[in-house]
Amino acid sequence: MNENVLDKLKCLNYERDFVQAQNRRPFTREQFAIQADNNAIQFKDFESLVVFLIAKIKRDADYFKVDKLDDPNTSVNKMMIALRGLDFNAEFPAAKLKAAYGEAVCAVLDFLTDRCLESERFVFKMPKHNEPAEPEDVDGDDDAMIDDDEIEDEVEAIEEDAAMFTEADENAFVHSENQQIIESRVDPIEWKTELERVGPRLRLNNNNVGKEWRSHINQTMKHSELIQKALPTTESILKQINNQLGGAVEKMKSKEKYLNTSFSQLCNEYQVVKASLSEIEDKHSTGTESVSVLTNELAAIEDQLSDIKGTMDSRGSSMTDTSPLVKIKAALQEIKIEIQNFELRIGVVGQTLLTTQTANGGGDIDVEGGDDLDDEFADA
């Protein structure tokens, strides 16, 4: 199917209109029959070819278009809708076209190429064969005579086959009810006349044809002689190499036995040391785990210790601070000064009262003279 599609595409001048126009490579005979190395590129080629064929059928490039951003499922669904518009009867699911190869893809391309040929009104005609020119007569030498004899033998054999086939055609019979009688449609007289016409043209013009088997035989004989000459020396050399290899193998085996016997004690010691090493590695792994646990506990304790040190430093700094004592001392000094002032004022008041009482002769004290006492205390 793929080959038929490719032949139809060539009839549609796809190499000019599709390959050269879109700068693509021509398709091969198995392009859409088997899976390619890159399935994405194969699907793009199939999609572009379907767009090209539908555009030629409908004479409209916008009838079926595929967006570059569409995924393969969307493209296949659009393609099936366009094929149904062209009266294509799909006997397979649309998902098979996503593979871009196989019977379904070839069937779609075969249908589209047939429709394109119908739209282009393309008609297949009978082929015209150019009859070859009559061969020139060759001078009669031994080889030509041999060729003529061979041709005559072939002609006689063909005539005998033709006679046999005609007899078989005449004596044909029915083997079963479903099998019809074989009847020959070739006229024996026409067959013989055609054979007489074609027979002389079977003569071989090349005199060297037919002698190749002799050259092959000669070459075979020469090669056989060379092989027979080189065989004894080669065989002796191969035997020597075989003997040397056998001796080397025996030496290797003896050395291997000697090493096994001499180093057996060391091997046993090595096994013991290996076992002790595995025990030590187990202990090391358990010790490493305990060290990691203790390291985590140490880190937690260090965090607690840093917190305690911070609180102690804050308390120590507050204890060594003497500024409150200085303030207390200053306040005490001010209180002492005020006490002295009050005592002095009391003494002055007492003295003033005593002098006033003395001056009045032991009578009552005049309160209106209090202002004078304040003045005196201020002077003092």
Side-chain angles (χ1 to χ4, degrees):
M1 290 175 71
N2 202 144
E3 290 180 353
N4 292 333
V5 168
L6 190 59
D7 292 335
K8 294 173 186 177
L9 289 173
K10 289 180 180 180
C11 294
L12 294 170
N13 294 324
Y14 95 106
E15 294 177 348
R16 181 193 64 192
D17 299 336
F18 180 73
V19 175
Q20 295 179 0
Q22 298 185 13
N23 194 13
R24 294 175 176 272
R25 291 182 179 180
F27 295 143
T28 59
R29 292 285 181 182
E30 65 278 358
Q31 181 74 29
F32 302 107
I34 60 176
Q35 185 177 8
D37 295 334
N38 193 337
N39 195 13
I41 296 175
Q42 190 178 17
F43 180 76
K44 289 295 182 184
D45 292 338
F46 170 64
E47 190 179 52
S48 302
L49 183 58
V50 170
V51 172
F52 168 72
L53 293 174
I54 292 177
K56 287 184 74 68
I57 294 170
K58 288 292 185 179
R59 309 287 183 180
D60 185 9
D62 296 331
Y63 181 78
F64 173 62
K65 276 188 175 182
V66 178
D67 193 359
K68 294 181 179 179
L69 301 178
D70 289 342
D71 59 344
N73 294 321
T74 306
S75 302
V76 168
N77 292 329
K78 290 182 180 179
M79 192 182 299
M80 290 300 294
I81 293 170
L83 290 172
R84 290 192 186 97
L86 296 173
D87 298 332
F88 177 71
N89 296 323
E91 297 179 355
F92 51 83
K96 286 192 175 181
L97 297 180
K98 193 169 73 171
Y101 70 94
E103 185 178 358
V105 174
C106 293
V108 170
L109 294 177
D110 191 22
F111 171 76
L112 292 176
T113 50
D114 288 338
R115 289 295 302 272
C116 282
L117 292 174
E118 291 177 2
S119 64
E120 296 288 336
R121 296 180 180 178
F122 185 86
V123 178
F124 289 100
K125 297 180 180 179
M126 294 297 295
K128 294 181 180 179
H129 300 286
N130 295 324
E131 295 183 359
E134 293 291 336
E136 297 178 357
D137 294 334
V138 183
D139 295 334
D141 53 356
D142 295 337
D143 295 331
M145 290 173 67
I146 292 171
D147 294 337
D148 292 338
D149 294 337
E150 292 178 354
I151 292 170
E152 290 177 358
D153 294 337
E154 291 179 358
V155 171
E156 291 177 357
I158 292 170
E159 289 177 352
E160 291 177 358
D161 293 337
M164 182 179 65
F165 283 126
T166 53
E167 291 176 359
D169 292 337
E170 292 175 356
N171 297 324
F173 59 93
V174 179
H175 294 283
S176 64
E177 295 180 356
N178 296 326
Q179 186 175 4
Q180 297 179 356
I181 298 173
I182 300 174
E183 295 180 357
S184 177
R185 297 181 180 178
V186 179
D187 189 2
I189 298 173
E190 293 181 356
W191 176 269
K192 289 181 180 180
T193 54
E194 182 69 17
L195 186 62
E196 291 176 358
R197 186 179 66 83
V198 177
R201 297 180 183 178
L202 299 175
R203 183 181 297 174
L204 299 175
N205 295 327
N206 190 359
N207 295 327
N208 293 325
V209 176
K211 294 183 179 181
E212 293 181 357
W213 62 275
R214 292 183 180 179
S215 62
H216 289 309
I217 291 174
N218 293 330
Q219 289 179 359
T220 305
M221 295 296 292
K222 289 180 181 179
H223 291 315
S224 177
E225 292 176 359
L226 293 174
I227 290 170
Q228 292 296 329
K229 289 180 181 178
L231 182 61
T233 57
T234 306
E235 188 175 2
S236 62
I237 293 169
L238 291 174
K239 286 181 179 179
Q240 292 178 359
I241 294 171
N242 187 15
N243 295 328
Q244 292 176 0
L245 290 174
V249 170
E250 292 294 331
K251 289 180 181 179
M252 290 173 66
K253 288 181 179 179
S254 62
K255 284 289 183 182
E256 185 177 0
K257 291 180 180 179
Y258 172 73
L259 291 173
N260 290 329
T261 54
S262 60
F263 292 101
S264 60
Q265 185 177 359
L266 292 176
C267 290
N268 295 328
E269 293 178 357
Y270 171 74
Q271 294 294 332
V272 173
V273 172
K274 187 177 180 181
S276 62
L277 177 62
S278 62
E279 292 178 358
I280 293 169
E281 286 178 350
D282 294 335
K283 292 180 180 179
H284 174 70
S285 61
T286 55
T288 304
E289 292 177 357
S290 61
V291 168
S292 62
V293 172
L294 294 174
T295 303
N296 295 329
E297 293 179 356
L298 178 62
I301 293 169
E302 286 180 351
D303 293 335
Q304 294 177 1
L305 181 61
S306 62
D307 295 336
I308 293 169
K309 284 183 179 180
T311 54
M312 290 178 65
D313 291 337
S314 62
R315 289 180 182 179
S317 61
S318 63
M319 291 173 64
T320 55
D321 191 7
T322 58
S323 58
L325 295 175
V326 173
K327 291 180 181 179
I328 291 170
K329 287 181 180 180
L332 290 175
Q333 290 295 330
E334 291 179 357
I335 291 169
K336 285 181 181 181
I337 293 169
E338 289 180 356
I339 290 170
Q340 289 177 0
N341 291 330
F342 279 115
E343 288 178 354
L344 179 59
R345 188 171 182 179
I346 291 167
V348 172
V349 170
Q351 181 65 30
T352 305
L353 290 174
L354 183 59
T355 53
T356 304
Q357 188 177 5
T358 304
N360 291 330
D364 295 329
I365 298 173
D366 186 6
V367 183
E368 292 178 356
D371 296 331
D372 297 334
L373 291 174
D374 292 332
D375 294 335
E376 290 178 0
F377 178 74
D379 294 336

